Amino acid sequence: MLPLRIESQYFGSIQYIKQIALASDTIIDVHEPFKKMSFRNRTTIISAQGPLLLTVPLKAGRDQKTPMNEVKICYGQNWTNKHMKALTSCYKRSPFFEYYEEGVSQILNKRQPYLIDLNMSISYWLEKVLKTNFNISKSTAEIPYLDPYFIEARDSSTNPKAALHIANQVYPQVFSDKIEFLPNCSILDLLFCMGPSANIYLKDSTLQ
């Protein structure tokens, strides 16, 4: 089977992680041009009011032509603290938040200079806590836009249709008593709500 070629995401969506978990081999394209308004530096969690977007601020001057592995994170504002406060506010009532809170905090507090390094550290941490093997590696050189030697999957996980594929995969979310089930949010939502069972949810190839 051809390797999966996919973008790097910040605490990727459930469908994104699911794609990686089910692939035999995955190449994270770190040489592709950075794409603004994408989930390369954003993730969606769930608050009592609905979806809440968390964004990693980047240093000025980033545009569509900057290779992903050259994009630098801006620490001029204390965004790491804001992200942890938001996660605590939204998920302190979830059954497994306390088990993963420290791990998330340690990742953010490392203050990685490059976005790709932050995102890769998240992937390695998820691999560990989910007790699975993602078989991921970074691209070693620029890959043509369309390459027949890869299964092209960049940005497919956040396509509106992706949510439809997993819309019926309902699991108990924190604010299910207030708002309807929201599919394909950050992997953190699934992890905080389902704990170790998240691995089964991701690996079940019938849930696509």
Side-chain angles (χ1 to χ4, degrees), residues 138 185 197:
K138 296 187 291 186
C185 294
S197 297

Side-chain angles (χ1 to χ4, degrees), residues 74-125:
C74 177
Y75 289 96
Q77 51 182 296
N78 196 0
W79 66 268
T80 58
N81 187 50
K82 290 180 180 178
H83 283 204
M84 281 308 303
K85 283 185 175 180
L87 289 170
T88 301
S89 175
C90 294
Y91 293 104
K92 60 185 176 182
R93 290 170 46 202
S94 66
F96 296 98
F97 177 71
E98 62 180 287
Y99 293 97
Y100 304 112
E101 176 185 12
E102 183 59 30
V104 174
S105 178
Q106 287 179 0
I107 290 172
L108 297 183
N109 287 329
K110 283 183 179 179
R111 296 173 67 89
Q112 299 274 12
Y114 290 92
L115 178 62
I116 189 63
D117 293 331
L118 170 61
N119 290 355
M120 291 303 295
S121 67
I122 290 170
S123 295
Y124 297 140
W125 176 75

Side-chain angles (χ1 to χ4, degrees), residues 2-184:
L2 295 175
L4 189 75
R5 176 194 187 183
I6 204 164
E7 81 278 15
S8 171
Q9 289 191 10
Y10 173 65
F11 288 111
S13 70
I14 294 172
Q15 184 68 5
Y16 172 82
I17 300 299
K18 190 178 189 65
Q19 286 177 301
I20 293 175
L22 294 176
S24 56
D25 290 286
T26 300
I27 300 297
I28 305 295
D29 193 341
V30 304
H31 294 86
E32 65 159 4
F34 175 74
K35 187 176 182 180
K36 292 182 178 180
M37 305 299 289
S38 72
F39 285 86
R40 287 159 179 78
N41 68 318
R42 305 189 303 172
T43 195
T44 303
I45 62 174
I46 302 176
S47 71
Q49 289 73 44
L52 176 64
L53 197 64
L54 300 182
T55 301
V56 177
L58 306 176
K59 289 199 172 179
R62 297 303 163 193
D63 56 35
Q64 302 284 357
K65 297 180 181 180
T66 305
M68 181 65 185
N69 61 354
E70 295 180 13
V71 175
K72 290 186 176 182
I73 299 173
C74 177
Y75 289 96
Q77 51 182 296
N78 196 0
W79 66 268
T80 58
N81 187 50
K82 290 180 180 178
H83 283 204
M84 281 308 303
K85 283 185 175 180
L87 289 170
T88 301
S89 175
C90 294
Y91 293 104
K92 60 185 176 182
R93 290 170 46 202
S94 66
F96 296 98
F97 177 71
E98 62 180 287
Y99 293 97
Y100 304 112
E101 176 185 12
E102 183 59 30
V104 174
S105 178
Q106 287 179 0
I107 290 172
L108 297 183
N109 287 329
K110 283 183 179 179
R111 296 173 67 89
Q112 299 274 12
Y114 290 92
L115 178 62
I116 189 63
D117 293 331
L118 170 61
N119 290 355
M120 291 303 295
S121 67
I122 290 170
S123 295
Y124 297 140
W125 176 75
L126 288 171
E127 194 175 26
K128 179 180 178 181
V129 298
L130 289 169
K131 294 181 172 59
T132 190
N133 189 349
F134 285 165
N135 293 314
I136 59 174
S137 57
K138 296 187 291 186
S139 59
T140 57
E142 187 175 346
I143 303 172
Y145 183 75
L146 292 177
D147 192 311
Y149 295 102
F150 294 93
I151 298 172
E152 180 60 61
R154 288 176 298 167
D155 297 306
S156 62
S157 65
T158 51
N159 185 297
K161 293 182 179 179
L164 297 178
H165 291 313
I166 58 174
N168 294 322
Q169 299 177 34
V170 177
Y171 57 88
Q173 294 177 325
V174 178
F175 302 105
S176 58
D177 58 329
K178 297 180 180 179
I179 57 178
E180 293 184 357
F181 177 76
L182 294 172
N184 206 27

